[in-house]
Amino acid sequence: MRSLVLAATLASILAATAAFAGEYDADNSAKNARDRGDQTMTPADQGGSAADREVTANIRKAIVDDDALSMNAHNVKIVTKDGVVTLRGPVKSASEKTSVAAKAQKVAGIKRIDNQLEIEKN
């Protein structure tokens, strides 16, 4: 039992160390700690206006309708607040990152895009 607790503690320390050093894969759940602060846009920050909701829905539709994109790209976080769109999450390649951002840019009603998409290492 003691060795199990020690192993679990060591695993969590190693995961936290990698996350703080920025040495983790783009889809590593250890990054969820980053989302708990006020510095990062999360889906909870989505604007409540009809225009913001429509922009987010239109971007999501454009991304999901593209069968060439990976499942990760289809599931990126899209947060729109006051016309500013934040894109977050892992994508498979640089071309996917560019493609997702381009689809978002084509949607009417956007003031600016904050592209925080990350390319997976694997």
Side-chain angles (χ1 to χ4, degrees), residues 7-24:
T9 303
L10 181 58
S12 59
I13 290 171
L14 290 174
T17 302
F20 288 119
E23 298 174 4
Y24 44 75

Side-chain angles (χ1 to χ4, degrees), residues 21-80:
E23 298 174 4
Y24 44 75
D25 199 5
D27 64 350
N28 189 328
S29 61
K31 291 170 40 176
N32 288 337
R34 172 194 68 188
D35 296 346
R36 290 186 195 113
D38 294 338
Q39 305 299 321
T40 305
M41 291 291 281
T42 65
D45 297 314
Q46 171 69 39
S49 73
D52 284 345
R53 289 191 311 269
E54 184 176 350
V55 164
T56 299
N58 288 340
I59 294 170
R60 174 70 62 207
K61 181 171 179 7
I63 291 170
V64 171
D65 284 349
D66 187 345
D67 292 336
L69 294 175
S70 68
M71 185 61 70
N72 280 348
H74 285 174
N75 289 312
V76 297
K77 291 178 180 80
I78 305 166
V79 181
T80 307

Side-chain angles (χ1 to χ4, degrees), residues 72-121:
N72 280 348
H74 285 174
N75 289 312
V76 297
K77 291 178 180 80
I78 305 166
V79 181
T80 307
K81 187 168 187 173
D82 300 325
V84 176
V85 176
T86 302
L87 301 171
R88 293 191 45 229
V91 293
K92 294 285 185 189
S93 64
S95 64
E96 271 198 348
K97 181 176 180 176
T98 301
S99 180
V100 169
K103 288 177 188 321
Q105 190 65 51
K106 289 179 183 177
V107 172
I110 294 176
K111 293 179 184 174
R112 179 175 58 86
I113 294 180
D114 182 11
N115 187 346
Q116 297 179 15
L117 297 173
E118 299 176 84
I119 301 166
E120 289 184 343
K121 292 179 184 176

